[in-house]
């Protein structure tokens, strides 16, 4: 049998050829894999410099708000946000305010629903409000509201919360305005006015004209509600077609809802330092620990009709965060820090997860005032040193 040795020799030859072939050096024909480094925060030269406190993004335009002496409303066409030539044709307008007007528009994208601006006249004792449409019209044409015309016992508009945030809230054409009322031989009473704004021109939406008028005023006080509000406003937010108000003072603390007709529908003897909107009309409230000595959260899943209590130790400084929702992710901001905040659970159990995000690229002495998305894939920060931006996909990279 001579076939077996020949097959064996042929097999060994093939193995030797394959061995030498595998030992050949790389000749550069295969392209190396390129791993892109995540983007970092950089000053966005498409925007002007300035101390921008907040922003709104609507229908392909961006408005930045600067409270350094006046309010600058800067509008860009962002339909092609990655094309610098598109920004060369940007339009910028300024709302000039008379001396003595106080503007509180921090977190304006959460507060004003991108429809109206509300200004208070008088920094220490605000006695007059001026309202204008955000998108259209003559910037010097305001709807003026004198407090004395709302209530003969009017003392002053209550334009900020206990922590210094603005109190005015808007749902559609309805604006909730709190003010203090003089009560003889008693502390001032806190009153809420629900004011419906209309256009002076018939059949025109109020947000599309500079000619505004008052259609209806409803005062929310002890006359039509049977309750009194005293002390400070802790926070106010909106939930569908309702205003949610938290107060705390010398009398019983209150969380209540106020509808667009000025009716109080739900009232509970608790108080929240700050509300945190969640998906599916769920609302969380940070507990005011002065009420029962415990920290934690309140949670309502029925538009403020009832609240579940979760007593838990909160991370230090959690109540100082300002919250924004970016692509269904809750982002917390404090000074130069960014956090991804997530709540999991239901009415029986609530878990809080916090991850600090990288701020690589930001100057050390910067203060972040707000965050917004523009263009197809950009995330930007409004700061006291202008606008900083990076790729949206890199927002949630942890520190």
């Amino acid at each position: 049998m001579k076939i077996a040795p020949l097959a064996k020799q042929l097999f060994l030859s093939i193995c030797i050829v394959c061995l030498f072939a595998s030992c050949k050096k790389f000749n550069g024909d295969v392209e190396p894999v390129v791993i892109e480094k995540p983007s970092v925060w950089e000053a966005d030269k498409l925007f002007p410099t300035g101390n921008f406190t907040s922003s709104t993004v609507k229908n392909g335009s961006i408005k930045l708000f600067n409270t350094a002496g006046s309010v600058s409303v800067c509008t860009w066409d962002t339909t092609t946000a990655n094309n610098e030539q598109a920004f060369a044709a940007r339009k910028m307008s300024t709302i000039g305010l008379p001396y003595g007007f106080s503007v509180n528009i921090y977190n304006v994208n959460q507060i004003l629903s991108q429809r109206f601006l509300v200004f208070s006249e008088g920094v220490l004792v605000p006695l007059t409000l001026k309202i204008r449409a955000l998108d259209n019209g003559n910037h010097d044409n305001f709807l003026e509201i004198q407090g004395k015309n709302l209530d003969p016992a009017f003392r002053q508009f209550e334009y900020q919360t206990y922590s210094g945030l603005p109190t005015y809230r808007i749902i559609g054409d309805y604006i909730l305005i709190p003010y203090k009322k003089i009560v003889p031989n008693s502390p001032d009473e806190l009153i809420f006015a629900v004011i419906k704004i209309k256009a002076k021109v018939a059949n025109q939406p109020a947000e599309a004209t500079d000619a505004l008028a008052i259609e209806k005023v409803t005062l929310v006080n002890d006359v039509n509600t049977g309750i009194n509000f005293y002390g400070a406003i802790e926070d106010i937010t909106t939930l569908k077609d309702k205003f949610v108000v938290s107060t705390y003072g010398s009398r019983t603390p209150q969380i209540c809802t106020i509808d667009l007709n000025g009716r109080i529908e739900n009232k509970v003897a608790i108080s929240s330092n700050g509300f945190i909107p969640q998906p599916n009309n769920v609302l969380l409230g940070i507990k005011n620990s002065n009420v029962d000595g415990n920290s934690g959260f309140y949670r309502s899943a029925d538009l403020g009709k009832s609240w579940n209590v979760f007593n838990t130790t909160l991370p230090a400084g959690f109540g100082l965060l300002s919250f924004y929702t970016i692509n269904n992710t809750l982002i917390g901001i404090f000074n130069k820090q960014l956090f991804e905040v997530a709540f999991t659970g239901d009415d029986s159990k609530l878990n809080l997860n916090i991850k600090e995000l990288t701020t690589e690229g930001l100057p050390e002495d910067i203060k972040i005032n707000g965050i917004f998305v523009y263009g197809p894939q950009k995330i930007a920060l409004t700061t006291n040193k202008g606008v900083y931006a990076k790729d949206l996909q890199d927002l949630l990279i942890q520190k």
Side-chain angles (χ1 to χ4, degrees), residues 44-50 52 64 74 76 90 92 385-387:
D44 197 324
K45 297 180 180 179
L46 298 179
F47 299 93
T49 58
F52 293 111
L64 302 178
C74 311
W76 291 265
R90 61 183 180 266
M92 184 171 67
K385 293 182 177 295
V387 176

Side-chain angles (χ1 to χ4, degrees), residues 78-129:
T78 61
T79 53
T80 55
N82 289 331
N83 183 352
E84 293 192 19
Q85 292 182 352
F87 282 81
R90 61 183 180 266
K91 299 178 181 179
M92 184 171 67
S93 56
T94 299
I95 299 177
L97 299 180
Y99 176 79
F101 272 72
S102 172
V103 180
N104 285 275
I105 52 176
Y106 288 86
N107 301 334
V108 72
N109 54 322
Q110 296 178 339
I111 292 167
L112 298 182
S113 301
Q114 304 164 347
R115 294 173 68 87
F116 303 104
L117 288 177
V118 183
F119 306 97
S120 305
E121 182 180 18
V123 176
L124 299 178
V125 184
L127 303 177
T128 302
L129 288 181

Side-chain angles (χ1 to χ4, degrees), residues 237-288:
T237 191
T238 60
L239 196 60
K240 293 192 72 174
D241 59 349
K242 302 182 189 304
F243 302 101
V244 186
V245 178
S246 175
T247 61
Y248 183 78
S250 58
R251 298 192 180 186
T252 304
Q254 309 272 1
I255 287 184
C256 68
T257 61
I258 302 174
D259 71 8
L260 301 183
N261 294 312
R263 294 190 298 259
I264 291 182
E265 298 179 328
N266 309 289
K267 177 173 67 72
V268 290
I270 57 177
S271 180
S272 172
N273 296 127
F275 292 116
I276 308 173
Q278 296 285 287
N280 302 317
N281 294 314
V282 172
L283 185 62
L284 296 179
I286 302 172
K287 286 188 62 179
N288 185 337

